[in-house]
Amino acid sequence: MNLFETTLRLKGFPIQKAKRRLQEIQRISETDYKIYVQDTRQKMFEYHLRENLFYQSFIGDIAIKKWEDIPILTKRDVQIPIEKRLSTGFTKKNTYIGKTSGSSGTPLFFAKDKFCHAMTWAVIINRFGWHGIDLDASFQARFYGIPLDFKGYQKERLKDRLSNRYRFPIFDLSEEKLEEFLSVFRKKKFDYINGHTSSIVLFSKYLQKKNLILKSVCPTLKTCIVTSEMLYDTDKKLLEKQLGVPVVNEYGASELDLLAFTNAEGEFQVNNETLFIEILDENDQTVENGNPGRIVVTSLYNRTHPFIRYDVGDLGILDENSTFKKPVLKKLIGRSNDTAVLKGGKTVPGHTFYYVTKSIVEEDGNVKEFIVEQTALDTFTIVYVSEVALSTKDLKKIEIALSKYVGADLNIHYERVGVLDRNKRGKLKQFISKIDVRNEP
């Protein structure tokens, strides 16, 4: 029984229809592929211009004569209640509603119609299949966070059991905890690792310190898929050496789809089946392959919510040998999270702070953007953009969450600003460490 796909189908997501459509797209010839993308993107633009009041207002009176005339949509543009962004005929009850991680500092609620969400999973199933991974049969070692409240924790654990995976919570990556992780690998027959890059890198450094190759400990291990953060070449070499298996890089945006995935030839292949991806300069003009630019994405199958020429906030470079049917991402710039080192040696990935702040950043809340700065081993400053200051109740919620997720005896400071400073690339890092661990007592 295909439990994973059956679960999707029972929830109303037409996964078999989506898989058939994906196969049809992949059979389109190189000659006809440009026509497919151009026709599909144009129809999606016209659909939202006709059926979506939010997008009608966004476009306004701008004269659109060609694709390049369409204005760029940013996360800031869609920071309004989701009910005001849905197309005609769609509600929160008949669509898939999700929330981004907020790694850019701006968590976002988004929506996909059921066929679009099924297409997302069809692509994921296809890409994992490139490396011999079956989402039902292959046993996953999952390096992810997990809610610490009882209900959320139990829900995630149930999902893990149903999804044939074992979760390694990554809020505490001290050596004692990493040794516990290692003991699990000695006992369980994992097929692959999947999780946040920095956490798996830290685990690999621990293996290096112990002079161990993970595959010698867990002979069934076949591959490792890293996601959510930058994968640097040095880290990839470390991972492949210490894990003893090939490393696959995944780049995605939950409001959209998989953006790029390592193929069987080791290329970082761009998803141009369900997305149209452009690399633009600061003037919103397409750059030549081989040159860096902003990654701007159009969702070709989302009728519920317009993601038309949507700036994901990253920079990238397309390989010079990219074709229209097979674009390859030569380099991804950005999406790197620092690591917080606390007193006592406890290590916490920067994206942990998403779980801390999610309790105060709600869809209709006051906080629009935020970053967390570490200035000492026990001192953090939360810098946030809001029309009004955080209430005493909110501050208490933050402190309780930090104590639960990160640790007690922390000094927390708050700074409300009108705008957050971004680097020269326009990228906002949610977590910034301003300490030099070597100089700390």
Side-chain angles (χ1 to χ4, degrees):
M1 179 181 178
N2 195 323
L3 180 61
F4 180 76
E5 292 187 21
T6 299
T7 301
L8 285 173
R9 180 176 56 81
L10 291 175
K11 290 182 176 180
F13 303 114
I15 185 61
Q16 291 303 318
K17 178 182 177 182
K19 290 175 72 174
R20 289 193 297 270
R21 178 56 182 150
L22 181 61
Q23 290 173 353
E24 292 171 355
I25 296 169
Q26 292 173 338
R27 286 195 293 265
I28 299 173
S29 68
E30 179 78 48
T31 304
D32 295 332
Y33 210 86
K34 185 175 183 179
I35 297 174
Y36 154 71
V37 173
Q38 290 177 334
D39 285 351
T40 308
R41 74 185 187 187
Q42 184 65 26
K43 288 177 181 177
M44 189 54 60
F45 168 69
E46 292 173 356
Y47 174 86
H48 284 298
L49 198 58
R50 181 179 67 251
E51 302 291 343
N52 192 285
L53 293 177
F54 158 74
Y55 198 62
Q56 291 172 12
S57 176
F58 175 73
I59 295 297
D61 297 326
I62 298 174
I64 308 296
K65 296 181 179 180
K66 59 183 185 300
W67 180 259
E68 291 74 17
D69 293 335
I70 299 173
I72 304 301
L73 188 68
T74 69
K75 188 167 288 189
R76 184 183 297 274
D77 295 320
V78 295
Q79 285 294 323
I80 61 174
I82 195 166
E83 295 87 350
K84 297 182 179 180
R85 292 183 267 130
L86 302 182
S87 299
T88 303
F90 292 102
T91 68
K92 293 174 71 173
K93 293 183 178 180
N94 65 6
T95 60
Y96 170 79
I97 303 295
K99 182 182 179 183
T100 66
S101 67
S103 61
S104 67
T106 313
L108 170 71
F109 281 88
F110 63 90
K112 297 181 181 180
D113 61 82
K114 292 186 175 181
F115 180 69
C116 177
H117 189 59
M119 287 292 285
T120 295
W121 278 109
V123 170
I124 293 172
I125 293 169
N126 176 257
R127 296 320 196 242
F128 276 51
W130 285 353
H131 303 279
I133 297 172
D134 184 320
L135 293 183
D136 275 307
S138 301
F139 189 23
Q140 177 191 142
R142 188 171 183 83
F143 281 68
Y144 272 77
I146 190 170
L148 295 183
D149 62 282
F150 180 80
K151 183 177 179 181
Y153 181 90
Q154 295 301 326
K155 180 180 178 181
E156 288 301 313
R157 285 302 190 190
L158 175 61
K159 288 168 62 177
D160 289 339
R161 289 193 293 272
L162 294 176
S163 301
N164 198 28
R165 65 197 188 201
Y166 181 93
R167 185 181 299 249
F168 295 89
I170 56 175
F171 298 125
D172 181 359
L173 293 173
S174 61
E175 290 199 353
E176 292 79 9
K177 183 59 66 173
L178 294 176
E179 180 61 34
E180 292 180 17
F181 289 3
L182 182 57
S183 68
V184 176
F185 276 95
R186 295 183 189 276
K187 301 172 185 176
K188 295 186 179 293
K189 297 181 178 180
F190 292 111
D191 292 297
Y192 70 108
I193 296 171
N194 186 18
H196 294 290
T197 309
S198 62
S199 304
I200 304 173
V201 167
L202 284 172
F203 183 50
S204 296
K205 289 180 178 178
Y206 179 70
L207 293 170
Q208 184 181 51
K209 182 179 179 180
K210 294 179 68 70
N211 197 27
L212 283 175
I213 304 299
L214 190 61
K215 189 170 176 62
S216 66
V217 173
C218 181
T220 56
L221 195 64
K222 299 178 181 65
T223 191
C224 171
I225 300 174
V226 295
T227 188
S228 297
E229 300 163 349
M230 282 288 294
L231 174 63
Y232 296 102
D233 290 339
T234 53
D235 287 338
K236 183 179 180 181
K237 291 177 182 177
L238 171 71
L239 291 172
E240 290 182 334
K241 178 182 178 181
Q242 298 305 139
L243 301 179
V245 297
V247 173
V248 172
N249 195 9
E250 175 187 274
Y251 170 44
S254 54
E255 69 267 42
L256 297 165
D257 209 327
L258 282 182
L259 275 68
F261 202 80
T262 305
N263 63 24
E265 291 74 41
E267 301 165 314
F268 206 21
Q269 185 169 330
V270 172
N271 169 15
N272 67 335
E273 292 111 319
T274 64
L275 304 174
F276 171 61
I277 295 179
E278 304 171 81
I279 308 295
L280 307 181
D281 63 18
E282 63 275 9
N283 298 315
D284 298 341
Q285 300 299 307
T286 303
V287 303
E288 292 185 5
N289 290 351
N291 294 321
R294 293 154 42 230
I295 298 177
V296 174
V297 184
T298 296
S299 178
L300 300 177
Y301 287 91
N302 192 344
R303 296 182 302 140
T304 299
H305 188 290
F307 284 111
I308 310 292
R309 307 198 85 199
Y310 174 69
D311 192 330
V312 299
D314 295 326
L315 291 180
I317 302 173
L318 281 180
D319 190 89
E320 291 87 343
N321 296 319
S322 293
T323 66
F324 212 89
K325 184 170 184 179
K326 187 185 176 183
V328 173
L329 196 59
K330 182 177 182 178
K331 188 174 182 180
L332 174 64
I333 306 170
R335 295 174 65 84
S336 177
N337 288 331
D338 289 338
T339 299
V341 179
L342 309 177
K343 284 186 175 180
K346 182 177 179 180
T347 305
V348 182
H351 56 258
T352 298
F353 291 96
Y354 161 66
Y355 294 94
V356 174
T357 54
K358 68 180 292 188
S359 61
I360 62 167
V361 179
E362 302 296 338
E363 169 65 8
D364 57 351
N366 290 314
V367 177
K368 301 298 182 184
E369 296 183 312
F370 60 89
I371 58 173
V372 180
E373 297 178 348
Q374 182 180 18
T375 55
L377 290 177
D378 61 352
T379 305
F380 295 82
T381 299
I382 296 177
V383 184
Y384 64 98
V385 177
S386 179
E387 295 180 1
V388 297
L390 288 167
S391 67
T392 302
K393 181 179 178 181
D394 286 333
L395 299 182
K396 186 65 176 178
K397 287 170 63 178
I398 294 173
E399 291 167 4
I400 292 174
L402 277 171
S403 178
K404 180 185 292 185
Y405 284 78
V406 181
D409 300 320
L410 297 176
N411 298 313
I412 311 299
H413 304 287
Y414 303 91
E415 179 182 0
R416 183 164 67 94
V417 297
V419 295
L420 294 176
D421 291 333
R422 285 167 163 77
N423 63 24
K424 61 182 180 180
R425 294 172 177 167
K427 184 71 176 179
L428 183 70
K429 294 185 66 175
Q430 184 182 3
F431 177 79
I432 301 171
S433 178
K434 294 186 175 181
I435 66 172
D436 185 346
V437 177
R438 294 171 298 181
N439 295 329
E440 291 293 330

